[in-house]
Amino acid sequence: MPPPPPSAPASHHLRLWWRRRGRAGAVGATFAVALLATALLLALSSYASIVFPASSGRRGPALVGLTLVRRASEKGALCLDGSAPGYHLQGGSGSGSRSWLIHLEGGGWCRNLKSCASRQRSMLGSSRYMEGQVEFTGILSDDKSQNPDFYNWNKVKIRYCDGASFSGDVKDELQNGTRFFFRGQRIWEAVMNELVVKGLRNAKQAFLTGCSAGGLATYIHCDSFRALLPKDSRVKCLADGGFFLDVEDISGRRTMHSFYSDIGLRERFSHCNSNMDAGQCFFPREVVKHIVNPVFVLNPAYDAWQVQHALAPEASDPQHSWLDCRLDISKCSPKQLGILQGFRKELHDAISEAKQKRGWGFYINSCFVHCQSLNSLTWHSPTSPRVNNKSIAEAVGDWFFDRREVKEIDCEYPCNPTCHNLVFARPFKI
């Protein structure tokens, strides 16, 4: 299907793109539930970097090549399949030559060896499947009109291939003749060490960002990132679509809690005491309590991934009464909208402690999306979502440079007409 003409409304672009993804998603109908959750999250992360038809005369986004970590095996910094991890680095210029923006890629998690084995055969578990070049859009764009505050910075996209938000550090496991490497923490350290040598150690200002599972990783690594930089440098973090909630689904089960418990990273978190189960430790509500460095929380109140996999997963809806609502928020019944408003309240309650932290910022809009910082349409454009007449890029820039306090909390759906709400063609089948 060819892309719609430039004159088509942005919401139409979104619907057509998701229909294309929906057809591709049907091919994976035989995968396990956990892997399908990963597939959806990857699709949503891919949405974040989709480039919509540009106006005539505007150049396309920059293509940035993949760099593999040197001597990765020697460092034990390996993707799930044992291949070297990688990142994309675009050098800064002019006033941005000593400023760095690091982005941690998202893409779900693997909760067991079966789902991890599937990831080994994809770019989420092996650099052998990663693209040689990727487009830098949204917060990574080098176009000042699309990224006014960070366009000329050194920008890095770190690829995600460990399956546990850049956090695992355990011995490889051998299962049915297949070896698995859970080395996310070592990947983080190896990439940071290379970037330090390439100029990060001399940064006057630095910004750690991440989307989805990468957003969770941003919470996890924010303070250790701060420790890498000169004491007199400005260092902050932004987590996009990474505030996952420990909520009951529509059947009364805590699907996400069970999922995180299966990942099993208790030893990674110093705040995880014997009175807490492993799943609880992984939720941002707990992680943020112990973060010292300033963080900007960017999240939609009606996170599309969480609605489909935490609030109303397919297993919790055998009668398919939530099918239309999960695909298109405008088709939710009044009762379902009431449950979604309760989900929004859960998010507000979960970030209540973080709201009291000095120097933190917030942008919680009422859109049915997931990640928003890597998409030029949602990050900064004439038709970007706005809260109090501020685009996400404007709000983030104001906060990062201390131009004003930013604590933007949107009203309840459907109050915000500037939202680009996702519309799915069909659910991802089990």
Side-chain angles (χ1 to χ4, degrees), residues 208 214-227 235-239 242-243 268-271 281-297 350-351 353-362 399:
L208 178 65
L216 175 58
T218 299
Y219 291 120
I220 293 169
H221 290 294
C222 185
D223 282 345
S224 63
F225 181 68
R226 161 71 269 188
V235 182
K236 297 185 179 183
C237 304
L238 178 151
F243 212 102
R268 172 63 183 80
F269 302 106
S270 58
H271 66 269
C281 302
F282 213 42
F283 282 98
R285 185 171 192 165
E286 294 297 327
V287 177
V288 300
K289 293 178 181 178
H290 308 275
I291 301 175
V292 176
N293 204 53
V295 178
F296 192 95
V297 180
I351 65 174
E353 183 168 340
K355 286 180 182 178
Q356 308 306 315
K357 286 179 170 283
R358 182 179 179 181
W360 284 46
F362 301 88
W399 171 79

Side-chain angles (χ1 to χ4, degrees), residues 55-355:
S55 59
S56 59
R58 178 177 293 176
R59 64 180 176 81
L63 289 171
V64 183
L66 177 67
T67 299
L68 296 181
V69 170
R70 298 175 65 243
R71 300 194 303 276
S73 183
E74 176 185 323
K75 300 170 184 174
L78 302 168
C79 296
L80 280 169
D81 72 333
S83 60
Y87 57 93
H88 304 261
L89 167 62
Q90 182 183 50
S93 63
S95 61
S97 60
R98 292 185 62 185
S99 299
W100 287 74
L101 190 149
I102 315 295
H103 181 82
L104 299 175
E105 184 179 37
W109 311 271
C110 58
R111 64 188 298 181
N112 52 44
L113 294 180
K114 183 177 180 180
S115 62
C116 291
S118 296
R119 291 173 76 100
Q120 286 184 326
R121 300 185 295 275
S122 77
M123 63 183 179
L124 290 174
S126 173
S127 60
R128 297 182 179 96
Y129 296 89
M130 292 178 185
E131 313 96 308
Q133 294 180 314
V134 296
E135 295 178 340
F136 270 23
T137 56
I139 198 172
L140 294 176
S141 174
D142 63 355
D143 185 334
K144 187 175 182 179
S145 69
Q146 298 179 15
N147 191 23
D149 283 307
F150 310 108
Y151 72 98
N152 64 346
W153 285 29
N154 298 281
K155 295 183 290 291
V156 183
K157 180 175 183 178
I158 304 178
R159 302 306 296 269
Y160 178 41
C161 65
D162 71 283
S165 287
F166 298 90
S167 297
D169 188 8
V170 298
K171 293 181 179 179
D172 50 299
E173 297 187 24
L174 190 64
Q175 180 79 6
N176 297 327
T178 301
R179 180 162 289 169
F180 298 87
F181 298 84
F182 303 103
R183 305 286 180 81
Q185 178 65 29
R186 296 195 198 183
I187 292 173
W188 161 261
E189 292 172 358
V191 175
M192 288 300 108
N193 287 339
E194 290 199 4
L195 296 180
V196 163
V197 173
K198 293 183 177 184
L200 181 61
R201 62 186 167 196
N202 299 317
K204 290 184 176 180
Q205 46 197 6
F207 202 8
L208 178 65
T209 75
C211 156
S212 196
L216 175 58
T218 299
Y219 291 120
I220 293 169
H221 290 294
C222 185
D223 282 345
S224 63
F225 181 68
R226 161 71 269 188
L228 295 171
L229 280 297
K231 292 182 179 179
D232 61 349
S233 58
R234 182 197 302 268
V235 182
K236 297 185 179 183
C237 304
L238 178 151
D240 177 10
F243 212 102
F244 297 94
L245 299 178
D246 184 10
V247 296
E248 288 187 355
D249 65 28
I250 57 175
S251 68
R253 293 188 291 267
R254 291 188 179 272
T255 301
M256 284 298 294
H257 194 109
S258 174
F259 192 94
Y260 280 173
S261 295
D262 288 345
I263 294 174
L265 286 172
R266 174 189 291 276
E267 68 283 352
R268 172 63 183 80
F269 302 106
S270 58
H271 66 269
C272 192
N273 59 51
S274 58
N275 296 323
M276 300 167 62
D277 66 55
Q280 186 178 354
C281 302
F282 213 42
F283 282 98
R285 185 171 192 165
E286 294 297 327
V287 177
V288 300
K289 293 178 181 178
H290 308 275
I291 301 175
V292 176
N293 204 53
V295 178
F296 192 95
V297 180
L298 170 60
N299 240 81
Y302 312 94
D303 186 299
W305 190 91
Q306 292 197 64
V307 168
Q308 295 202 359
H309 288 278
L311 180 64
E314 289 187 61
S316 70
D317 184 31
Q319 303 303 317
H320 305 296
S321 60
W322 274 75
L323 178 58
D324 289 343
C325 182
R326 291 169 73 240
L327 300 178
D328 181 350
I329 192 171
S330 70
K331 295 182 180 178
C332 295
S333 69
K335 181 178 180 180
Q336 289 167 336
L337 279 178
I339 293 173
L340 288 176
Q341 304 303 4
F343 181 82
R344 173 180 178 271
K345 184 178 184 303
E346 289 273 5
L347 174 63
H348 286 214
D349 291 345
I351 65 174
S352 60
E353 183 168 340
K355 286 180 182 178

